[in-house]
Amino acid sequence: MIEFFTEPWQHVFMQRAFLVVLMSGLVCGVIGSHVALRGMAFIGDAVAHAVFPGIAIAFALHTSLVVGGIVAGLVTALAVAVFSQNRRLKEDTVIGVFFAAAFGLGIVVMSTAPGYGGSLESFLFGSVLGISSGDVVTVGVAGAILLLITGGLHKELVTVGLDRETARAAGLPIFWLDMALYAMVTVAIVISIQAVGNILVLALLVTPAACARLLTDRIGVMMLIAPLIGAGSGLAGLYLSYAFNLAAGGLIVLTATAVFVACWVFAPRHGLLSHRRHSATAVVSVHP
């Protein structure tokens, strides 16, 4: 058992993978909590499409994938915010247009680069074992900055997430806070794509937050539980990947999903078993 936990750390590529997965889980857990509070899970999927052309261009130019993805995501988010000002179109419609277009642009760019097939597969499904030392540093710095910014805007983001009208009446800059959330989701997704891939990154953003939502009614506690579940699922999935020689990204997501199912069944107040106990108690009290 001890060898199972220590052997992967003897390899440099596994050390890099563990660090990136740990940071990805922490960041996605925190940002995903704000996404869950707003009921905006579709934003994660949309942003994952939006960052793709930036990553593709960065790959073709042999520059930082993280920086390329962040720039593309922010540009697309700004375009959505601007075009959404036309109230004839709803925001989700504009998001669908621009984020789908961004993903299409990414595929076109990738098709012009040498090694197109294998590179596209690594972006879609993750390549956490091929992460370089530079990527680890970039992810670490970007993740730390993002967590600091999120902490600074925590109260404002929670207020907007719970009641936009109250936030507007209090004079909070709703538009800029929305832009800030889009930007934070973009960064969280970009630093996680190498771990689980473009297709599965939504799960890392949403699933840990959903687990935490089932386990607690307190927002502060939720913000602590979600990143712990995200990081724990990432580490566990990576260990399983090493042990059984299976896809790391898929196992990370499946581990997080298994935790979600367990929470859905066994959560103390909001789990299936708890609801059944309360229902049985209510029936007994009505018919003693």
Side-chain angles (χ1 to χ4, degrees), residues 7 60 114 136 193 210 257 282:
E7 183 178 350
V136 174
I193 278 180
T257 305

Side-chain angles (χ1 to χ4, degrees), residues 24 32-33 36 91 135 137 142 165 208 232 271:
S24 298
S33 296
E91 186 179 39
D135 290 333
V137 173
E165 294 305 320

Side-chain angles (χ1 to χ4, degrees), residues 19-20 23 27 134-147 191:
L19 291 174
V20 169
M23 179 57 76
V27 169
D135 290 333
V136 174
V137 173
T138 302
V139 168
V141 172
I145 293 174
L146 181 58
L147 291 176
I191 67 175

Side-chain angles (χ1 to χ4, degrees), residues 121-180:
E121 182 178 351
S122 68
F123 289 135
L124 294 179
F125 303 109
S127 58
V128 68
L129 300 183
I131 290 175
S132 67
S133 298
D135 290 333
V136 174
V137 173
T138 302
V139 168
V141 172
I145 293 174
L146 181 58
L147 291 176
L148 289 174
I149 294 175
T150 306
L153 295 177
H154 174 75
K155 292 183 179 179
E156 290 79 3
L157 291 173
V158 169
T159 301
V160 174
L162 294 177
D163 192 336
R164 293 179 69 85
E165 294 305 320
T166 298
R168 185 174 286 106
L172 293 179
I174 304 297
F175 175 83
W176 292 110
L177 287 171
D178 286 344
M179 285 297 300

Side-chain angles (χ1 to χ4, degrees), residues 9 15-29 128 139 147 191-192 195 204 227-235 238 252:
W9 289 92
Q15 295 173 11
R16 296 169 181 166
F18 277 122
L19 291 174
V20 169
V21 164
L22 181 63
M23 179 57 76
S24 298
L26 291 174
V27 169
C28 283
V128 68
V139 168
L147 291 176
I191 67 175
S192 304
L204 198 59
L228 290 178
I229 293 176
S233 299
L235 295 178
L238 203 52
I252 290 171

Side-chain angles (χ1 to χ4, degrees), residues 38-258:
R38 293 201 186 193
M40 295 168 60
F42 76 97
I43 284 295
D45 189 35
V47 171
H49 287 69
V51 303
F52 189 59
I55 292 176
I57 293 172
F59 172 79
L61 298 178
H62 304 288
T63 59
S64 172
L65 303 184
V66 174
V67 174
I70 290 174
V71 171
L74 293 179
V75 169
T76 309
L78 180 60
V80 169
V82 171
F83 280 81
S84 295
Q85 299 306 304
N86 185 336
R87 294 306 173 186
R88 183 70 177 175
L89 297 174
K90 292 186 177 180
E91 186 179 39
D92 58 350
T93 302
V94 178
I95 288 174
V97 171
F98 279 96
F99 288 169
F103 194 75
L105 175 60
I107 293 176
V108 171
V109 173
M110 285 296 296
S111 67
T112 66
Y116 158 67
S119 302
L120 179 60
E121 182 178 351
S122 68
F123 289 135
L124 294 179
F125 303 109
S127 58
V128 68
L129 300 183
I131 290 175
S132 67
S133 298
D135 290 333
V136 174
V137 173
T138 302
V139 168
V141 172
I145 293 174
L146 181 58
L147 291 176
L148 289 174
I149 294 175
T150 306
L153 295 177
H154 174 75
K155 292 183 179 179
E156 290 79 3
L157 291 173
V158 169
T159 301
V160 174
L162 294 177
D163 192 336
R164 293 179 69 85
E165 294 305 320
T166 298
R168 185 174 286 106
L172 293 179
I174 304 297
F175 175 83
W176 292 110
L177 287 171
D178 286 344
M179 285 297 300
L181 181 59
Y182 285 160
M184 290 187 290
V185 170
T186 298
V187 176
I189 284 176
V190 169
I191 67 175
S192 304
I193 278 180
Q194 293 178 92
V196 296
N198 189 275
I199 292 177
L200 300 177
V201 71
L202 177 64
L204 198 59
L205 186 72
V206 173
T207 305
C211 295
R213 188 68 170 159
L214 289 171
L215 293 174
T216 182
D217 294 323
R218 299 175 59 185
I219 295 175
V221 176
M222 178 182 174
M223 297 289 177
L224 295 176
I225 293 177
L228 290 178
I229 293 176
S233 299
L235 295 178
L238 203 52
Y239 268 112
L240 292 173
S241 170
Y242 181 84
F244 299 105
N245 194 28
L246 297 172
L251 284 174
I252 290 171
V253 170
L254 289 177
T255 302
T257 305

